[in-house]
Amino acid sequence: MNTEEHAMNYYFYIENYSLFFEKEERFFVYNTYNGKWADCPASSELRTLFTPFLEGINYAVFLSDEAITAYQLWPFIEAVREGFSGDLISAGDATMAPFLFPSLLDFRLEKRKLDKKERELGQEVYSNLKEISFFLHPRIVPENGLFLPEQIFYSKEIVPVAEGWQQVYLPFLHQLTINWDGIIHIWCNCCDEKMWSSVCEVFAPIPAFKIVHTAVESMPPSLEGLLNKDTFSYEVYVTDDSEEECLNKWLQLQSETDIELLFQWLISSEKEWENASDWMERNQIEHVNLLPYYNGENRFFFEEHIYVKEKDLLFEIINKKDIFARKMFNTNYFGKLFLCPDGQLYAHPADDSLGKISEVSLPEMIHQELSEGRTWLSIRDQEPCASCRYQWICPSPSDLERALDRPNLCHLKK
Amino acid sequence: MEATVFFNTPQHSYLYDATNKAFMHAHPLWKPFKALEDQEVSAEDWEERIRDSFPLLYEQYQVDFPYYKKKFLFLKEQGFFQKLPLKRTISELGSEQVDRALDDIHQMVFEVTNRCNLSCKYCGYGELYSNYDVREGVDLNAAKGKKVLDYFIERWKLRPPRSYKREMYISFYGGEPLLNMPFIKEMVAYVEQHFPKEINYQFSMTSNCVLLQKNMDYLAEKNFHLLISLDGNEEAQSYRVNHAGINSFATIIPQIKALKENYPDYFGESVQFNAVIHNRNTVEGVLDFVKREFDKTPRISELNDSGINPEKVDEFFKTFQNIAVSLEKSKHRERTEQTYFIELPKVRGLGIFTTRFTDNYVRTYDEFFISTNCERLYSPGTCIPFSKKIFVTSTGKVYPCERIGEDHPLGSVDEVNGLQIDRESIVAFYNTFLSKIITLCNRCYRLASCSSCMYYFKDIEHPTCEDFLNRNGFEQYLSDYMQLLENEPHLQARIREEITFS
């Protein structure tokens, strides 16, 4: 065939950094470099035309001028081109489409591919563990009862660590640190002199980086007890009720010792947000993380300020690797384990235990979570998110959704 | 290596950007844009420069010029079209890597004996090759074998494995392993008695099956993974002869059939076939024969072209048959390719191409946390010693693989000192070799998919790499695979869905 006969024929292609998918009876193209969208109705004729896209065979298809006009594809193609998400090129003399790799993940450890090859999942199993939290005292403020990890524990009864806890934790820590160099979180009551001294004794020799989580009122009894700043940092939890004097003491301690310090300020309302911002501005402090906190009564605050709106998502730029990751695992939870004072290990403290550290080996528990766990692998694959165009643009499910008992934190789908 | 490579197939123009691990359809203006960009010509002057230097090109694409310039600059912002060569770091071997490989050893291969009851014409220990020690009819004794097992049992006590539910193969290799059954039985009993419960061990063996009948009860009882060497029908099997030069076909086929008849479940689950392709058989013939007789799809391999006896080069190449060429000769090529899909050379090559050169492939969870366009760490093609297996010869020498010629043992085992592995000298040898070839590796466009094993290099003191790929070669490599994908785009989807690459 000569060029003239081909003059009105094209190849339409989607770039490998863009995603093509069908949701809500529409075809969408999302550009992972600039967040630009293009869409068109998903008619059965177009479904046939776009079969190579949909089946992940090739991100290029043949389109005739007639087809483009008949299916009213020009606006869609124009939007794809304008967003640099793909192109329409003259077919010229070419007898076959160019090949463009579909942006589909090929993950070696994907469950359906592993089949019976459990060995693959169990290989180097420690490399999947990124952080482990040791809860030594669930209520880290002794007096006012502020339950720090409440948002993740809910109604689970946690008894503070018993006398002699070191004997239970030490063999586990030994097993852990032979093969692992992730981050250790220590949740404890620093002002309990006895506990603090045990923490120093047990954790100081561990080479992994450690973060001590404590309440602003719960300051270590002495500067001598403060752990080495090269291997320890401190995350100090603050609420609107916290005494400013306590905050100042930490700041003073930081200036004297140069410890790494981050204030985690729990925010339950707009007023608290303003108060925290005022304090930060007044004291010229930047190392503060404002942490939305659900107290059971402030749903409105979340609806107003935390829930995602479509206009936010529409301009969200999520790179391809992050989208792939969100399709495979929960990017908030993956790689994290929680050890409670009774020796039970959790992928999430609100879920079922993976086992007791004295009874089940750590590699076995990690493998269990990787192969059948509901926490690390909890993704947005359920309704209403599963049918939403933003399914993988939205962040993975988080603690706030658990606390609010909602499938998502958005106004789009409830 | 330049970060952006433009290349063509007969029908289309593409670019490969190594920084982003991305293939794109390349507009004809982009190559001159890239040249101007590299010359640091301001983008404002591009139109004028192209109009002057490439008037025909300019005339053809004048209307599209602003769009494709804008898109080029957009892509440049995303890291495409970088002027500087791709930053690559080639990692040296550290002794801790050797330690880790030993801790997590996947396979122990024992050369049970170097005796064999066959005298296959193309045997790796036969006249066609010259890179092996003289075969003196030595059996590996059980005391040495147990020392190897002890080494690992003790090691695991000190350093618990970092893997869970890992399968480990204890493999028996020859010569013909069935000639030394007392060793095998002692080793099996020792493993059953002493291995920690966390290790899911599995016994395996490659056999010519001359002695299968009298050992089949034991092999089935211990659920040996049995790999049977069979090249096809009687004619195809005619290189596999006994010491009197008689074809082994008539001896072994009834025994294999007896195994199938007596232990159908075991045969179905644990028995596989391996055929060597040569000038007396074809891929299609082997597949048809093994399927018809035993309802199995065999693995197919080529003759090893490393260590050929210089005096037998002509004979080697007369015997040698390339799998791809053999496939091309198939009468029912499509059917043969469907049956043999996973093992097809083009499929394996395409698998390496897509897994190494695109950002769609992710090997481990850890890789999700690494940025695509950071400086990349490469390992040369040689495996980390013992990361795949440890191979113990019948004379007590230790290698990382049975395919390596006997010039470079990495350790030894004897009854008194046990298994001796000198990690430091292994590391020194590896890194010295690397230092001699690293300049070449740094220039090589194939580095990301390198599979050249240093132990195969002819001159280890002054190495030159047969697989080295310069820019032109790389363009051809990319072009070949993209052309294949234009012709058979479904291959890529099937590979993605069905094959797991390690």
Side-chain angles (χ1 to χ4, degrees), chain A residues 171-230:
Chain A
F172 176 76
L173 271 166
H174 176 70
Q175 184 196 6
L176 175 70
T177 51
I178 285 178
N179 287 315
W180 185 74
D181 59 356
I183 296 172
I184 288 177
H185 298 271
I186 305 157
W187 299 73
C188 68
N189 180 2
C190 296
C191 66
D192 177 335
E193 202 160 334
K194 202 169 170 189
M195 175 174 282
W196 183 243
S197 107
S198 310
V199 165
C200 299
E201 186 188 314
V202 170
F203 288 100
I206 305 293
F209 191 78
K210 290 142 291 219
I211 300 173
V212 175
H213 297 255
T214 191
V216 71
E217 292 85 356
S218 179
M219 199 152 174
S222 71
L223 279 184
E224 286 75 44
L226 209 62
L227 295 162
N228 181 354
K229 68 184 171 65
D230 295 330

Side-chain angles (χ1 to χ4, degrees), chain A residues 15 56 81 87 94-96 99 102 106 108 112-113 118 122 124-125 130 179 320-321 364 367, chain B residues 11-12 14 67-68 71 100 160 162-165 359-360 362 366-367 370 487 496-497 499-501:
Chain A
E15 299 288 6
R81 290 193 83 237
D87 205 352
T95 52
M96 58 186 78
F99 184 81
D106 181 359
R108 193 177 65 106
R112 68 183 175 83
K113 286 194 91 171
E118 278 190 315
E124 307 249 344
V125 76
K130 310 293 175 198
N179 287 315
K320 193 168 138 182
K321 204 165 206 174
E364 184 175 348
H367 183 270
Chain B
Q11 302 218 1
H12 297 284
Y14 298 92
Y67 175 80
Y68 286 105
K71 187 166 180 179
R100 286 176 64 155
R162 286 165 304 120
S163 299
Y164 173 69
K165 264 196 178 179
D359 63 349
N360 285 351
V362 180
D366 250 2
E367 287 180 13
I370 301 167
N487 285 317
R496 188 181 62 237
E497 294 303 315
I499 303 182
T500 304
F501 289 92

Side-chain angles (χ1 to χ4, degrees), chain B residues 71-96:
Chain B
K71 187 166 180 179
F72 181 94
L73 294 172
F74 165 76
L75 291 169
K76 186 171 160 272
E77 277 176 30
Q78 310 305 325
F80 284 77
F81 308 121
Q82 288 189 11
K83 185 180 178 184
L84 292 172
L86 190 69
K87 279 186 190 170
R88 306 189 295 186
T89 303
I90 299 173
S91 54
E92 285 200 330
L93 182 68
S95 59
E96 72 286 352

